[in-house]
Amino acid sequence: MRDIAIIAFAQSANKRNEQIYNEAEILAPVAREALQKAGLKKEEIDFTCSGSSDYLAGQPFSFVIALNAIGAWPPIQESHVEADAAWALYECWIAMQADESINTSLVYGFGKQSMGSPRDVMNILNDPYVETPLWCDTISMAALQGRALIDAGLATERDFAAVAARNLKHAKSNPKAQCKGDFTVDELLRSPTLASPLRKHDCPPITDGACVVILAAGDTAKKLCKRPAWIRGIDHRIDVQAIGRRDLTRAPSAQIAAEKAGVGAGKVDIAELHALFTPQDIILRKELGLASDCVINPSGGVHQGNPMMGTGLVRFGEVADRIIRGEANRGVAHATQGPCLQQNMVAVLEGK
Amino acid sequence: MSEAQSTEKKPVTYINTPVAVKYDYTAGKATSDFMRAVAQGKILGNRCPQCNRVYVPNFLVCVQCAVPMGEPFEVPDSGIVLTFCIVNIKFYDQVLEVPYVSAYVLLDGTDLPLMHLVQECNVNDVRMGMRVKAVWKEELSPSLESIRYFKPTGEPDAALETFKEYL
């Protein structure tokens, strides 16, 4: 196994509705910033991989248009996943393990949720025979999960609100944050429910944005970065899609991924969780085995901004940034896909 | 197996699940600038400060150098036919009568061809290097349909050497 690290991260400001710039235009300055931070020219990137969704963009092959933003001529070695860009990072990691001529990779993700109705768009990704015709949207599905936790006596609506309050408080120090502020649990609980038991603060915001991570292997990483964020373990697992076949109070795939990634092998200083809805934060902390002294979502997590298809990659970037800056030694990045934490990726990043 | 049973086990070959999702697209900064100009009868391009290529339509980033492009400026609405095809196939919803010519038009002083139509001449007379000029509609809108087509100017053709690098 080669040592591979994140050496640079950049992201756009999270915006509710970016009406001037399109996806490629949002991405272009972010890619330049990441390359500049890494001290690399675009020609020095050996492999590029992106994550995005044509459903979200509402047009086929939308990811090809985004390639214009990173300068794909003369032709580059490139790939794309129709998934969160954390899975694009995973593909880069595999490519770098398999091919020692690949010493640097550029990973990017972008999403412009404001162009459509995300609740409805995500429904098209469900089972076409028995789920899509019901128009069971993401918030309703997450509400079933929240209700399952309450019914099992594992959490209360106050616990959900406490997660939101913590995220929004942390977001105050995040210059890219779309939502932030000081709220008490009582204040939050006074707002109406969107899909019982979930209120607005339990749900992720609708965000337009893009993010870029640069990976480097071994000596290349050491040469380019004073303190690279080494990927010491990474794994992803999947549960069945149909939520009726799962115990919604659990995420077994997250638990296995955390174990394989080696989360429990040492003290975890920080963790960034791709918990789209507050009940998922509670489930994930348990499945990942995170101790009470671990700082969860120092960036404000998903509730400060949710540039869908980049949101998972941002978790990697936020953990890596804090390690690169020397603010943390060991961190956990988590990314998810599918309804109610169906698929989970967990990585352990370390400064040493 | 009885006949009744085998009928029950016929495969379900068709289900009807209507799906419709609405989107409001964002054209983007560069395309918006271009379309606003077209609505005023102008074609915009811009130059890459690194490789010096002039893009039409104007673009935000050079796809080769990945650096921000310069400020957009108006480019001439005349140029040459870089390459073309004669469309002879009828297809659903076709607006034009076949045969007609779809062409890559390289506007003067630019480095990226614009795809458009060439008319007001016999399709067999269209040539690479032929000089053409835009014929605009009376009523302009933010759409490339504001240009009806390009027509031959009758000027001498450009020599192959002058546009070979764009092929």
Side-chain angles (χ1 to χ4, degrees):
Chain A
M1 289 281 248
R2 301 172 85 193
D3 287 335
I4 292 165
I6 294 176
I7 60 163
F9 167 61
Q11 61 181 323
S12 62
N14 290 313
K15 284 191 183 173
R16 171 62 180 83
N17 189 349
E18 171 56 71
Q19 290 188 305
I20 308 281
Y21 298 104
N22 63 22
E23 292 102 313
E25 293 175 338
I26 295 171
L27 174 64
V30 180
R32 281 198 298 274
E33 187 190 332
L35 284 168
Q36 198 194 357
K37 279 184 179 173
L40 287 167
K41 295 194 186 95
K42 77 167 181 85
E43 294 80 11
E44 294 171 310
I45 295 293
D46 298 325
F47 184 65
T48 300
C49 192
S50 62
S52 69
S53 167
D54 284 356
Y55 284 100
L56 208 59
Q59 52 185 329
F61 290 94
S62 58
F63 66 94
V64 177
I65 300 165
L67 266 177
N68 285 336
I70 59 153
W73 184 268
I76 59 170
Q77 199 178 163
E78 181 269 346
S79 182
H80 172 261
V81 295
E82 187 81 8
D84 187 286
W87 273 261
L89 179 143
Y90 190 81
E91 183 173 335
C92 287
W93 184 81
I94 293 283
M96 292 170 91
Q97 292 296 353
D99 182 350
E100 296 213 347
S101 74
I102 301 176
N103 285 310
T104 56
S105 290
L106 185 145
V107 194
Y108 66 90
F110 62 92
K112 205 166 177 312
Q113 287 191 70
S114 68
M115 299 198 300
S117 166
R119 286 176 81 150
D120 296 333
V121 170
M122 297 313 284
N123 177 57
I124 308 175
L125 306 182
N126 290 330
D127 174 278
Y129 303 105
V130 297
E131 285 178 349
T132 297
L134 300 174
W135 285 93
C136 190
D137 70 272
T138 38
I139 297 177
S140 306
M141 283 196 184
L144 289 170
Q145 190 163 34
R147 178 59 64 197
L149 277 182
I150 292 172
D151 288 348
L154 296 168
T156 64
E157 290 177 36
R158 292 193 74 81
D159 297 331
F160 301 160
V163 169
R166 179 205 68 206
N167 280 346
L168 293 168
K169 184 172 189 278
H170 286 175
K172 282 165 65 189
S173 58
N174 182 350
K176 308 289 186 183
Q178 176 185 340
C179 308
K180 58 177 116 181
D182 288 311
F183 300 93
T184 66
V185 167
D186 288 320
E187 272 172 341
L188 292 175
L189 286 175
R190 277 199 288 273
S191 59
T193 53
L194 287 182
S196 176
L198 301 185
R199 296 174 171 80
K200 192 177 173 185
H201 62 252
D202 295 309
C203 306
I206 291 172
T207 304
D208 294 347
C211 56
V212 176
V213 161
I214 293 177
L215 300 174
D219 291 341
T220 309
K222 287 178 196 160
K223 197 179 76 188
L224 292 167
C225 184
K226 249 187 199 169
R227 192 178 142 89
W230 298 102
I231 301 171
R232 292 302 182 202
I234 185 166
D235 196 75
H236 68 99
R237 302 278 155 160
I238 191 163
D239 288 306
V240 292
Q241 174 160 7
I243 59 170
R245 292 194 203 152
R246 285 192 257 151
D247 173 1
L248 289 180
T249 66
R250 296 267 339 257
S253 58
Q255 193 250 321
I256 297 169
E259 195 185 304
K260 297 281 176 190
V263 172
K267 180 179 181 289
V268 180
D269 300 324
I270 55 169
E272 281 281 339
L273 305 179
H274 190 174
L276 288 164
F277 299 87
T278 53
Q280 298 176 354
D281 190 288
I282 293 164
I283 295 168
L284 286 170
R285 274 183 293 172
K286 202 164 160 186
E287 299 292 12
L288 268 54
L290 299 174
S292 57
D293 62 348
C294 170
V295 180
I296 311 285
N297 293 342
S299 75
V302 176
H303 291 92
Q304 55 78 20
N306 177 33
M308 194 182 275
M309 311 317 287
T311 308
L313 185 64
V314 171
R315 310 282 66 81
F316 280 75
E318 292 286 5
V319 171
D321 246 4
R322 283 164 177 80
I323 289 172
I324 291 168
R325 290 200 300 259
E327 295 166 14
N329 284 318
R330 192 164 185 272
V332 166
H334 163 264
T336 192
Q337 292 196 117
C340 303
L341 297 173
Q342 183 203 2
Q343 190 172 3
N344 292 281
M345 181 185 294
V346 179
V348 174
L349 306 181
E350 287 179 5
K352 282 175 200 160
Chain B
M1 192 189 289
S2 76
E3 214 180 316
Q5 273 176 325
S6 69
T7 317
E8 278 168 27
K9 290 195 175 173
K10 264 188 184 170
V12 177
T13 56
Y14 184 89
I15 62 162
N16 193 1
T17 59
V19 168
V21 184
K22 282 185 183 173
Y23 295 90
D24 288 315
Y25 289 109
T26 307
K29 171 84 168 67
T31 306
S32 298
D33 289 344
F34 180 79
M35 288 303 172
R36 275 193 285 266
V38 167
Q40 297 174 335
K42 295 173 187 171
I43 303 173
L44 289 189
N46 61 354
R47 188 183 297 276
C48 169
Q50 201 162 306
C51 68
N52 267 323
R53 284 184 184 81
V54 173
Y55 281 49
V56 177
N58 57 300
F59 213 72
L60 205 77
V61 188
C62 176
V63 300
Q64 184 155 340
C65 308
V67 298
M69 296 286 288
E71 281 300 307
F73 53 85
E74 188 180 352
V75 299
D77 67 351
S78 59
I80 61 161
V81 172
L82 193 58
T83 182
F84 66 97
C85 78
I86 300 172
V87 180
N88 281 299
I89 301 163
K90 287 187 176 179
F91 54 87
Y92 176 74
D93 229 13
Q94 199 165 28
V95 180
L96 299 163
E97 290 281 316
V98 293
Y100 63 90
V101 171
S102 273
Y104 263 0
V105 176
L106 186 69
L107 298 174
D108 294 330
T110 74
D111 298 290
L112 269 190
L114 196 66
M115 196 164 90
H116 220 290
L117 304 163
V118 173
Q119 293 191 4
E120 286 196 30
C121 68
N122 192 312
V123 295
N124 297 318
D125 291 335
V126 177
R127 311 171 293 277
M128 288 165 74
M130 180 192 232
R131 298 281 311 161
V132 290
K133 188 172 171 58
V135 175
W136 295 81
K137 278 185 182 168
E138 296 260 310
E139 289 206 9
L140 299 170
S141 67
S143 159
L144 260 190
E145 287 188 356
S146 288
I147 297 172
R148 292 168 64 196
Y149 50 79
F150 283 78
K151 69 167 186 184
T153 64
E155 295 163 283
D157 289 2
L160 179 63
E161 296 74 53
T162 61
F163 61 87
K164 212 164 54 180
E165 64 169 304
Y166 299 105
L167 295 170

